[in-house]
Amino acid sequence: MIDIPEARFEELVADALDTIPAALAKHMDNVVVLVEDRAVDPNLLGLYQGIPLTERAEYGVGGAMPDRITIFRQPILRSCSSEAEVVEQVRITVVHEVAHHFGIDDDRLAELGWA
């Protein structure tokens, strides 16, 4: 396990978010991204909570509460042995959770190499 200070970890999450193409990022105006130290499930690296964009019209959702993406610091740090690994795992986790916002499920993410 590597230790990276909370502030630095938050920078890594922000950097990963900055890599999302502008054409997609503009559809994330109702998403809050948080960093928490621990998850209830110690193996959970990130969590998307909300209604995916692909389902909003189906439910007639307008003016919905913000979706929430949480990135869990300690589980990511436990799975890595270097800062370079943390950078890559944060990027993968952020992309994975953002993909859920766009309606992409875990099976498809695994096919695409983002599981």
Side-chain angles (χ1 to χ4, degrees):
M1 179 174 144
I2 184 169
D3 187 29
I4 292 180
E6 290 177 32
R8 173 69 179 135
F9 191 87
E10 289 176 2
E11 287 175 11
L12 296 177
V13 171
D15 291 347
L17 287 166
D18 286 344
T19 67
I20 296 170
L24 294 177
K26 73 179 184 179
H27 297 288
M28 293 186 56
D29 61 340
N30 199 34
V31 179
V32 64
V33 179
L34 306 168
V35 172
E36 291 186 9
D37 221 33
R38 293 178 177 81
V40 174
D41 176 345
N43 298 314
L44 194 61
L45 305 182
L47 179 65
Y48 168 76
Q49 296 170 293
I51 301 171
L53 291 178
T54 55
E55 297 177 18
R56 289 190 182 201
E58 179 179 329
Y59 291 108
V61 177
M65 294 292 293
D67 289 1
R68 179 179 172 140
I69 292 174
T70 308
I71 307 300
F72 299 108
R73 182 175 162 265
Q74 288 298 325
I76 289 175
L77 296 180
R78 274 195 306 276
S79 71
C80 299
S81 59
S82 69
E83 185 165 337
E85 285 182 22
V86 172
V87 169
E88 181 63 12
Q89 187 57 63
V90 165
R91 188 176 72 81
I92 290 168
T93 304
V94 167
V95 168
H96 181 101
E97 300 310 330
V98 167
H100 287 319
H101 173 68
F102 288 99
I104 302 171
D105 66 18
D106 284 331
D107 290 338
R108 182 65 179 136
L109 284 166
E111 290 172 11
L112 296 170
W114 292 99

